[in-house]
Amino acid sequence: MFPNEFTPHHFSSALLERQPKIGLVLGSGLGGFVDRMRVAETLPYRDIHGLPVSRVPGHEGVFVFGTIGDIEVVVAQGRAHLYEGFSAREVAAGVRAMAAMGIEKLILTNAAGIVNDDFQPGQWMQIADHLNLTGQSPLTGGPHFVDQTGVYSRSLRQIFRDHADRLGIPLAEGVYAWVPGPQYETPAEVRMLRVLGADAVGMSTVPEAIQARALGLKVAGFSCLTNYGAGMTAERLDHDDVLKAGREAADMLARLLEASFLA
Ligand code: HPA
């Protein structure tokens, strides 16, 4: 199997001339991030052969090209998930497409449930490492045996940490557990995740991170902690609440990324 089925020829020369060096994937409710960009062009996933198109509300699939400050970026607004029936390799297709566009850094965002009870809803957690609990990999079929020691770039993490401190943006750091979903966890599963060393839990991001590392990209990941994990409070989990919390926190991450890109 080829490491990347996408080549620059899949994209118009006008898009490639923009030369985005940074790619961003926006998670549930975080689409409002593009309001902070100067948007130049959009490209729906359905116009690129081989890209899966999600049907989950809050995940409409489109690449948005433009600038934040003076920095050229491409934003993947919307992503596909395992729980829709896509394979991990299909879920990571957007990352291979962005790599073919020429990005060097990938910033992944998601909405996640809290597992570590030191953390609070509405806060962001920078992903330091992950647990892949799905049994799936975007690298099935190759390349094999890719090192996973430093999936999330230490140097990028330090940059974001420094800027978060400077801007007074509360930024937790921890381990993200990738579960298949589509149901939320049981209280027993949340307790299990805590024992396993997870700080947050969600249904995305890890396949894209694994894929990006295999292609040599630098990766950063941010979880918007939208809710306490099941059983940690008396409340039941609701996707609309997750979307709402994401929208409210999007602005904070936009400020952090903007400051860090401009540095
Ligand atoms: N569990 C899994 N995925 C999630 C959650 C959760 O509690 N919240 C947002 N995405």
Side-chain angles (χ1 to χ4, degrees), residues 111-114 176 179 183-185 201-203 224 226-230 237 242:
I114 293 173
Y176 174 87
V179 295
Q183 71 285 354
Y184 289 122
E185 298 68 41
V201 56
M203 306 173 198
C224 177
T226 52
N227 56 276
Y228 283 112
L237 299 185
V242 168

Side-chain angles (χ1 to χ4, degrees), residues 122-167:
Q123 203 179 14
W124 282 94
M125 183 189 89
Q126 177 153 223
I127 302 177
D129 204 348
H130 69 231
L131 295 168
N132 177 357
L133 301 177
T134 66
Q136 307 293 315
S137 169
L139 307 185
T140 299
H144 298 148
F145 313 127
V146 176
D147 179 68
Q148 300 287 284
T149 309
V151 176
Y152 303 90
S153 158
R154 190 172 280 278
S155 59
L156 286 182
R157 266 159 57 200
Q158 189 60 50
I159 290 170
F160 291 125
R161 158 70 43 217
D162 291 347
H163 285 284
D165 290 348
R166 190 173 56 79
L167 295 170

Side-chain angles (χ1 to χ4, degrees), residues 49-74:
H49 180 71
L51 276 190
V53 176
S54 167
R55 284 170 295 277
V56 178
H59 281 280
E60 56 288 336
V62 61
F63 284 118
V64 181
F65 296 82
T67 51
I68 297 179
D70 289 336
I71 314 289
E72 292 283 349
V73 298
V74 51

Side-chain angles (χ1 to χ4, degrees), residues 29-113:
L30 301 171
F33 186 86
V34 297
D35 298 342
R36 317 249 326 188
M37 287 172 65
R38 195 139 17 95
V39 173
E41 248 174 292
T42 59
L43 176 63
Y45 296 170
R46 71 180 118 77
D47 290 354
I48 306 172
H49 180 71
L51 276 190
V53 176
S54 167
R55 284 170 295 277
V56 178
H59 281 280
E60 56 288 336
V62 61
F63 284 118
V64 181
F65 296 82
T67 51
I68 297 179
D70 289 336
I71 314 289
E72 292 283 349
V73 298
V74 51
V75 174
Q77 193 175 14
R79 54 150 67 95
H81 299 84
L82 285 191
Y83 58 71
E84 296 175 79
F86 296 114
S87 69
R89 189 171 167 81
E90 285 173 312
V91 166
V95 171
R96 293 191 295 280
M98 287 191 279
M101 293 172 198
I103 66 161
E104 293 166 356
K105 295 179 190 141
L106 180 67
I107 296 170
L108 299 164
T109 67
N110 62 46

